[in-house]
Amino acid sequence: MRTTFKLRVERACGGRAMVLEFRRYRDGDEVGIVETMNSAFETFRQWGLTSDIWLELTRRDYGFRRDLALVAEEDGKIVGHVQLVLRKLRYGCAVFTTGGIANVSTRPEHRGRGIATRLMSLAVETCREEGIPISSLWTGFLSPAHHIYRKLGYVDTFSPYSFGAHFLEVKEALKLLGGNGVEVRELQSADLDEIRKIYALFTEGWIGPGVRDAEYVRNKFTDKQFYHTFFYDEPENFVRLVSVDGGKVTGYVIAAFGGKLSRRYGDPYAGSVLEAIALDEKSLRCLMHSALQELLEAGAKKVWVNAPDIPLYRRLLPEFRKVGGQGTYMDKIIDLPALLEQVKSELERRLIERGVSVSTSIKLAVDSGSAVLKIEDDSITVSREGSSPSYISLSDRNFLKMFYGVESFEELLQRRAVRSLKLASGMELEILSTLFPKNLFYVW
Ligand SMILES: CC(C)(COP(=O)(O)OP(=O)(O)OC[C@H]1O[C@@H](n2cnc3c(N)ncnc32)[C@H](O)[C@@H]1OP(=O)(O)O)[C@@H](O)C(=O)NCCC(=O)NCCS
């Protein structure tokens, strides 16, 4: 396994050539990593990130591993850092692993020397070494970092959004929410297993939600309430409620008011509903009502709600506006056959559900590689090599949109986004439509 590469930099310093080394984490690196992150991100500085907190996250989060922390070191000093975070994401009934990219940072005085670009190349190489078939990240659209990711083959697949309202609209929303028959009470540790199951049931069939096992939920919801990567606060500073109907927990909400958090993060005037999930609409109405009311009582001047754009939330929050912001979700395909292999059970489920049962094969070619899907009745074999009478070629970006269900195969075809298509018969057209329908893609 190659985990390090050295680069001799021309730049002379005090009469000697400086050596830049790009490598994985070594014991003690957390000090330089956190210094580099704090030099690059105001959010981390304001919140108060320390190397102890960094180490703590490596114990609390299965995907945040020390050996996946990549550094650029010059003359014994860490000057750049990228963290690879493994995330298991749902793909209908299947699960795939993505290599999430986080904390991309170069100390200000070392910028413009290709450090972040090389660290990102190392991140891609590390994904390959670890057998991770795809890499994903969030960033600002057209930001300097966006340019680096584009250069390395990451493409924009999804535009993130949330729902926002001024508190006057939130007051209007409160009139429509609430209801009888559902008790809303504080979340307790004993509820954690139930809310984990509710999350899994609610997001069933979706593409993108993170897979949360009991340990993950315990680590992120108990003595500290985590809300975004490292960021956490004391649980009592959050609105943490569950709904109870007929003696059973039916849903939960986690919300925060920036002004009440003990560590500074984000807008101190804003309230955020981070997750509001319930198994029925009545419970969700009551939870949303209680959470919004608590945020207003705490002094929120505005409220953001993180939720997918589905009719349920639209009905609940008609006064809220969907705002796209300047962010973008990007992916890079590392290994197409391996990616398709991981989601094969969901693709097979789609064929079974639609009653498609044939013997054929289709070659799928994208910018970053190709794969052959051999379909025998309703079972699929994915192979790297081989020819096929049916062939579809797409850009990585359009393939990923189709893969996630952001656009269906048919929609891509209609807007001429399919580069080339050669089908042995009409049956392959039906198979592609069945394998790649429009779907709900949402990364919570
Ligand atoms: C983004 C960041 C990591 C880049 O680090 P770096 O080591 O200077 O990056 P590199 O030298 O490898 O590459 C910089 C590239 O961005 C380009 N660039 C610089 N400013 C730019 C801008 N405003 N818009 C577009 N591209 C820009 C450079 O021209 C260069 O591209 P090139 O190699 O094609 O000429 C660094 O600026 C940083 O730490 N920023 C703050 C933290 C941050 O925003 N992280 C990303 C979060 S997703």
Side-chain angles (χ1 to χ4, degrees):
M1 188 198 291
R2 191 162 76 99
T3 55
T4 175
F5 53 91
K6 283 191 185 178
L7 176 83
R8 193 164 284 277
V9 178
E10 292 298 314
R11 196 174 69 117
C13 186
R16 63 198 175 94
M18 303 286 275
V19 178
L20 255 179
E21 189 185 355
F22 297 84
R23 57 167 177 81
R24 292 204 201 196
Y25 173 90
R26 276 190 212 135
D27 280 349
D29 278 348
E30 60 277 5
V31 175
I33 288 175
V34 168
E35 272 175 21
T36 303
M37 287 170 64
N38 281 336
S39 77
F41 292 99
E42 202 189 350
T43 42
F44 288 126
R45 275 199 303 279
Q46 282 180 345
W47 185 79
L49 180 66
T50 64
S51 45
D52 284 344
I53 292 171
W54 188 93
L55 286 173
E56 189 187 355
L57 196 65
T58 65
R59 292 187 289 267
R60 278 188 184 252
D61 187 329
Y62 73 89
F64 197 97
R65 289 179 8 203
R66 293 181 206 189
D67 64 324
L68 298 180
L70 311 175
V71 298
E73 185 179 43
E74 187 173 59
D75 215 18
K77 182 177 172 183
I78 291 176
V79 294
H81 167 58
V82 167
Q83 181 74 44
L84 201 54
V85 185
L86 301 192
R87 280 285 168 258
K88 289 183 201 148
L89 303 183
R90 292 181 77 141
Y91 191 86
C93 70
V95 172
F96 70 100
T97 303
T98 187
I101 299 291
N103 307 340
V104 178
S105 41
T106 302
R107 291 189 197 244
E109 63 277 21
H110 292 272
R111 290 187 187 159
R113 297 170 53 202
I115 290 174
T117 305
R118 289 189 184 89
L119 277 168
M120 282 302 301
S121 301
L122 182 58
V124 169
E125 196 183 311
T126 308
C127 285
R128 283 210 179 91
E129 283 173 1
E130 297 281 328
I132 301 165
I134 186 167
S135 172
S136 317
L137 59 90
W138 305 89
T139 192
F141 184 61
L142 300 184
S143 64
H146 181 255
H147 166 70
I148 297 174
Y149 307 138
R150 286 304 318 272
K151 260 193 322 185
L152 293 172
Y154 285 77
V155 292
D156 299 282
T157 41
F158 175 72
S159 303
Y161 53 80
S162 48
F163 294 89
H166 182 259
F167 82 85
L168 290 171
E169 272 78 53
V170 179
K171 279 186 171 171
E172 288 303 308
L174 283 176
K175 292 180 192 160
L176 300 169
L177 292 167
N180 298 321
V182 178
E183 179 203 345
V184 175
R185 63 157 171 79
E186 294 288 322
L187 183 151
Q188 296 153 7
S189 296
D191 299 321
L192 289 182
D193 206 39
E194 215 44 54
I195 69 168
R196 182 179 68 82
K197 287 183 193 149
I198 290 169
Y199 172 86
L201 272 172
F202 188 77
T203 58
E204 202 173 306
W206 299 11
I207 315 293
V211 175
R212 297 176 179 175
D213 63 17
E215 198 188 340
Y216 180 87
V217 172
R218 217 176 24 254
N219 280 332
K220 298 281 182 128
F221 285 72
T222 44
D223 56 320
K224 297 182 169 75
Q225 173 66 56
F226 279 78
Y227 48 96
H228 176 54
T229 60
F230 296 102
F231 302 111
Y232 62 75
D233 215 290
E234 305 319 314
E236 57 271 21
N237 292 339
F238 285 80
V239 177
R240 303 198 323 160
L241 304 169
V242 292
S243 53
V244 181
D245 196 0
K248 292 199 82 166
V249 174
T250 52
Y252 68 97
V253 62
I254 311 286
F257 170 52
K260 206 181 162 195
L261 295 175
S262 61
R263 289 164 171 270
R264 170 99 196 271
Y265 180 81
D267 183 345
Y269 295 92
S272 304
V273 176
L274 304 167
E275 282 184 33
I277 288 178
L279 296 178
D280 62 273
E281 190 163 342
K282 191 168 79 166
S283 300
L284 196 55
R285 280 184 175 278
C286 293
L287 285 165
M288 195 66 92
H289 184 273
S290 302
L292 293 179
Q293 187 149 14
E294 283 202 31
L295 291 176
L296 289 195
E297 280 167 8
K301 299 281 189 281
K302 50 198 158 181
V303 173
W304 292 102
V305 176
N306 289 350
D309 187 6
I310 55 175
L312 173 66
Y313 291 102
R314 289 254 179 207
R315 280 198 299 278
L316 249 58
L317 304 168
E319 303 288 339
F320 279 63
R321 192 164 125 185
K322 182 178 169 185
V323 182
Q326 301 244 310
T328 180
Y329 187 81
M330 304 182 85
D331 296 274
K332 177 177 169 70
I333 301 169
I334 308 284
D335 184 339
L336 180 69
L339 179 64
L340 291 168
E341 185 65 40
Q342 288 196 357
V343 302
K344 204 175 74 169
S345 58
E346 169 63 13
L347 300 179
E348 287 172 342
R349 193 199 61 76
R350 291 174 185 175
L351 290 177
I352 294 166
E353 189 182 76
R354 193 75 174 258
V356 179
S357 176
V358 282
S359 283
T360 187
S361 72
I362 302 172
K363 182 163 184 163
L364 207 66
V366 299
D367 299 323
S368 53
S370 64
V372 177
L373 296 180
K374 191 159 178 266
I375 300 156
E376 230 23 282
D377 299 325
D378 45 34
S379 89
I380 297 176
T381 313
V382 184
S383 52
R384 295 184 179 273
E385 308 283 328
S387 59
S388 166
S390 297
Y391 176 90
I392 174 173
S393 161
L394 297 149
S395 65
D396 278 358
R397 182 172 186 219
N398 287 326
F399 167 75
L400 284 163
K401 280 173 177 269
M402 182 175 94
F403 175 78
Y404 286 139
V406 174
E407 282 186 85
S408 66
F409 162 70
E410 281 168 10
E411 282 171 328
L412 289 178
L413 203 57
Q414 271 162 23
R415 70 169 179 88
R416 296 165 185 258
V418 175
R419 268 188 201 144
S420 64
L421 186 66
K422 194 181 110 202
L423 298 175
S425 75
M427 191 37 104
E428 283 74 13
L429 198 63
E430 193 184 338
I431 289 171
L432 284 168
S433 306
T434 304
L435 290 180
F436 301 109
K438 193 140 177 155
N439 224 312
L440 180 62
F441 176 65
Y442 193 76
V443 182
W444 222 313

